[in-house]
Amino acid sequence: MRLTTTLIAFLIGFLFSFNSWASHIIGGEIYYDSLGNNQYKITIEIYRDCNSATGFDNPLNYTIFLADGSIYTTRYIPPFSQNILPIVYDDPCVTVPNDICVERAIYIDTVTLPFSVQGYYVSYQRCCWTGAIDNIVDPANNGITLTTFIPGSALVGVHNQGARFINYPPLILCSQNTLDFDHAAFDPDGDSLSYELMAPLLGGSIANVVPDPEDPAPYTPVSWNPTFTETVPFGAGSNITIDPTTGFMTFTPNLIGSFVAGVAVKEWRNGVLINTKIRTFG
């Protein structure tokens, strides 16, 4: 069976018995909407392996930082909704295994953020990745960072709204078969968007499973195992491309295994970069 799995990472589910309690995240993203009167709706989407022994955080904590890295506030919120994602796969090259299952939790919070000059960072961190991931170093002892930037008056004249991805990446790829996927994002403000492959960010560890508060930026990217990089996340002989203007992706994996990758969406207004956000998937 020529099967490559890409279980979403924003971060993961663990297979090692000694740390299985800490692993469940396989991906996610953060975005936000301006509600007026300096209020923002913060949305955090988290993806987990349904087969993990660890459920979603309840409550989930996330941290809002000022631009200088100092903490503005740490928030604690329950899940707003949870659902099992359907596996859409019609390639006859393989029968979909019955143990592949991804569940999504959506967390929503409303917070007041006075319009400032430098803006704010919103960050969520959690350990750990599944130990089955083949392309990064020591995944079972490391977790993920999801983060986004809310620009201030130094970059924008009005409250910004964050870009958010439209479609969920494929859970299964068949080795040596090519799959096309629309990884475009939507921006409520109509800002210009560009896309590129980018390494996922580390956050949390087996020694600090649920950082509270989160650490401030800058964040460390994952370390790749030999032959893997952010632009070759499926290894030598594989191919993954993304159109920088449309976000349209083409995958042609050459190896069998579980892999993590990252796609960045950049928001541009009047030719000025105002935000970069990475969606991690694996």
Side-chain angles (χ1 to χ4, degrees), residues 1 7 36 43 56 71 89 108 137 166 171-172 178 180 184 190-191 195 203 250 259 278:
M1 181 173 65
L7 300 177
T43 301
F56 289 111
I71 294 174
Y89 190 78
I108 296 176
V137 174
I166 300 170
L171 297 178
I172 300 173
T178 297
D180 295 326
D191 292 326
Y195 306 87
T250 299
F259 309 100
I278 301 172

Side-chain angles (χ1 to χ4, degrees), residues 208-228:
N208 188 16
V209 173
V210 186
D212 183 9
E214 276 73 10
D215 295 323
Y219 299 111
T220 303
V222 298
S223 295
W224 300 99
N225 282 325
T227 78
F228 299 97

Side-chain angles (χ1 to χ4, degrees), residues 127-188:
C127 190
C128 295
W129 303 93
T130 173
I133 293 177
D134 297 300
N135 60 344
I136 61 175
V137 174
D138 201 16
N141 287 311
N142 291 289
I144 187 171
T145 292
L146 301 179
T147 188
T148 192
F149 178 58
I150 301 177
S153 60
L155 290 175
V156 295
V158 296
H159 295 80
N160 186 55
Q161 304 193 91
R164 68 286 317 261
F165 289 97
I166 300 170
N167 300 313
Y168 181 81
L171 297 178
I172 300 173
L173 303 175
C174 198
S175 179
Q176 300 178 3
N177 280 21
T178 297
L179 176 70
D180 295 326
F181 171 67
D182 185 359
H183 208 150
F186 167 73
D187 187 272

Side-chain angles (χ1 to χ4, degrees), residues 31-43:
Y31 53 91
Y32 55 89
D33 296 278
S34 173
L35 304 178
N37 297 318
N38 293 327
Q39 287 195 314
Y40 289 86
K41 182 176 77 171
I42 308 294
T43 301

Side-chain angles (χ1 to χ4, degrees), residues 46-175:
I46 305 294
Y47 302 92
R48 69 180 284 271
D49 179 2
C50 301
N51 301 304
S52 169
T54 303
F56 289 111
D57 291 337
N58 188 7
L60 171 147
N61 63 268
Y62 74 97
T63 303
I64 300 175
F65 297 93
L66 300 175
D68 64 3
S70 59
I71 294 174
Y72 177 77
T73 184
T74 298
R75 307 279 293 181
Y76 303 86
I77 53 176
F80 175 79
S81 66
Q82 295 178 218
N83 68 294
I84 304 295
L85 296 180
I87 297 178
V88 179
Y89 190 78
D90 58 5
D91 193 319
C93 74
V94 68
T95 299
V96 177
N98 58 16
D99 61 346
I100 292 179
C101 176
V102 171
E103 185 177 14
R104 175 179 61 184
I106 297 177
Y107 297 81
I108 296 176
D109 193 22
T110 299
V111 62
T112 299
L113 300 174
F115 200 41
S116 69
V117 174
Q118 298 301 322
Y120 304 87
Y121 287 92
V122 182
S123 297
Y124 167 75
Q125 294 180 318
R126 186 62 157 83
C127 190
C128 295
W129 303 93
T130 173
I133 293 177
D134 297 300
N135 60 344
I136 61 175
V137 174
D138 201 16
N141 287 311
N142 291 289
I144 187 171
T145 292
L146 301 179
T147 188
T148 192
F149 178 58
I150 301 177
S153 60
L155 290 175
V156 295
V158 296
H159 295 80
N160 186 55
Q161 304 193 91
R164 68 286 317 261
F165 289 97
I166 300 170
N167 300 313
Y168 181 81
L171 297 178
I172 300 173
L173 303 175
C174 198
S175 179

